[in-house]
Amino acid sequence: MEELIKVIILGIIEGLTEFLPVSSTGHMILAGHLLGYEGGAADSFKIVVQLGAVLAVFVLYFRRYMDILKDMVRLKLNVPNKLNVIHMILAMLPALIVYLIFKDFIKNDLFGPGPVLISLAAGGVLMIVAELAKRRVTSENTDDITYGQALGIGLFQCLALWPGFSRSGSTISGGMLLGTSRKAAADFTFIISVPVMLGATVLDLYDSRDLLTKDDLVLFLIGGAASFIVAMLAVVTFLNLIKRLRLTWFALYRFALAGLFYWIVMA
């Protein structure tokens, strides 16, 4: 029962933080440390549970995914002036390659309070830079995003492999630095999040297959369900919030969170 309560709490935290550039994984690692939910299975849970929240994004952008899928079925892969599967592949490929090369280092050395506190602060600095940088917006919406911008956003997404950096924080900041509007960067970030997190979940479950028990998988499903329910209630509000508020506000929150947990956990 104690483990069940812990995964439900973490699932709620994931659902509330996945759509904001404050790092849902970072929040779960820090919360897991305070709750005493740590170890190999817990690390896998903190990756897999994100899929529950991301499924809420699939519901929100369902028509967009179906549109891309229809073009794929018709073999219309390189559709000009329209978000297509090539954009998504270019955005996902860099992080996949980096993950496959460094996955052991990421899980063994970066899933801890210390590295997360550093990445919370580093991600905040990146967001402030993205807001202050002088740039010319060339892509007002996702259909305007070029292949070069998609690849660049994918390279920024590699930073999110460091728990605490935040996938949305790194990709939205990267998109803005590369000339997309905040709205286009946010929409593109969440559209690519579904296949990214689905792939990450499958890879992690496969790598951890010898460490996980049936009880662990049941807990994963319960935590994922809690994350999905909370995310469905929060997704529209939070996505509108992230598109309107300057990233500087989220950066300040990250600095405050890092300081608070340094005082509680590390001091």
Side-chain angles (χ1 to χ4, degrees):
M1 179 61 70
E2 183 180 349
E3 295 292 289
L4 178 61
I5 293 173
K6 289 178 181 179
V7 299
I8 290 176
I9 291 173
L10 292 173
I12 292 172
I13 291 173
E14 162 61 26
L16 289 173
T17 57
E18 176 63 35
F19 305 106
L20 299 176
V22 295
S23 179
S24 59
T25 304
H27 277 73
M28 285 192 293
I29 289 174
L30 295 173
H33 180 79
L34 294 177
L35 292 170
Y37 188 62
E38 298 179 293
D43 289 343
S44 291
F45 171 81
K46 291 161 191 171
I47 294 175
V48 174
V49 73
Q50 295 179 76
L51 187 60
V54 168
L55 287 177
V57 175
F58 179 75
V59 174
L60 182 67
Y61 290 99
F62 180 77
R63 291 184 179 179
R64 196 68 194 246
Y65 288 118
M66 291 301 100
D67 194 30
I68 294 173
L69 182 60
K70 288 178 184 178
D71 285 338
M72 290 176 59
V73 171
R74 298 169 183 168
L75 298 180
K76 297 170 61 177
L77 304 182
N78 185 19
V79 183
N81 301 318
K82 183 181 180 182
L83 183 67
N84 59 62
V85 68
I86 296 178
H87 289 98
M88 301 185 71
I89 292 173
L90 289 172
M92 293 186 293
L93 200 57
L96 174 61
I97 294 172
V98 173
Y99 175 78
L100 291 175
I101 295 173
F102 295 105
K103 60 183 178 181
D104 291 334
F105 171 75
I106 292 169
K107 291 200 71 173
N108 295 333
D109 295 277
L110 297 183
F111 270 77
V116 169
L117 296 181
I118 296 172
S119 61
L120 278 171
V125 171
L126 175 62
M127 289 191 282
I128 290 175
V129 170
E131 284 288 0
L132 296 180
K134 293 182 179 179
R135 63 192 187 282
R136 184 171 66 91
V137 175
T138 58
S139 302
E140 289 290 349
N141 56 63
T142 52
D143 288 331
D144 297 331
I145 292 176
T146 66
Y147 290 147
Q149 287 173 327
L151 178 60
I153 291 172
L155 292 172
F156 273 97
Q157 185 169 225
C158 293
L159 295 172
L161 295 174
W162 181 1
F165 219 101
S166 171
R167 182 175 59 255
S168 60
S170 59
T171 52
I172 292 174
S173 297
M176 291 171 63
L177 289 170
L178 293 169
T180 73
S181 67
R182 184 184 290 103
K183 181 181 183 302
D187 282 330
F188 187 64
T189 289
F190 291 110
I191 288 171
I192 65 174
S193 68
V194 173
V196 167
M197 287 314 305
L198 180 60
T201 297
V202 171
L203 286 173
D204 190 83
L205 287 176
Y206 178 79
D207 290 337
S208 305
R209 63 191 183 281
D210 296 329
L211 302 174
L212 303 177
T213 66
K214 290 182 179 179
D215 290 339
D216 290 325
L217 296 178
V218 171
L219 290 175
F220 286 12
L221 287 174
I222 294 172
S227 174
F228 175 75
I229 293 170
V230 173
M232 282 300 296
L233 295 174
V235 59
V236 175
T237 300
F238 283 7
L239 287 182
N240 287 332
L241 185 66
I242 197 174
K243 292 173 186 177
R244 295 176 182 178
L245 281 183
R246 293 173 64 87
L247 293 179
T248 306
W249 292 107
F250 297 108
L252 294 176
Y253 169 82
R254 293 167 65 103
F255 296 150
L257 182 67
L260 175 63
F261 273 94
Y262 177 81
W263 179 62
I264 294 176
V265 178
M266 306 296 292

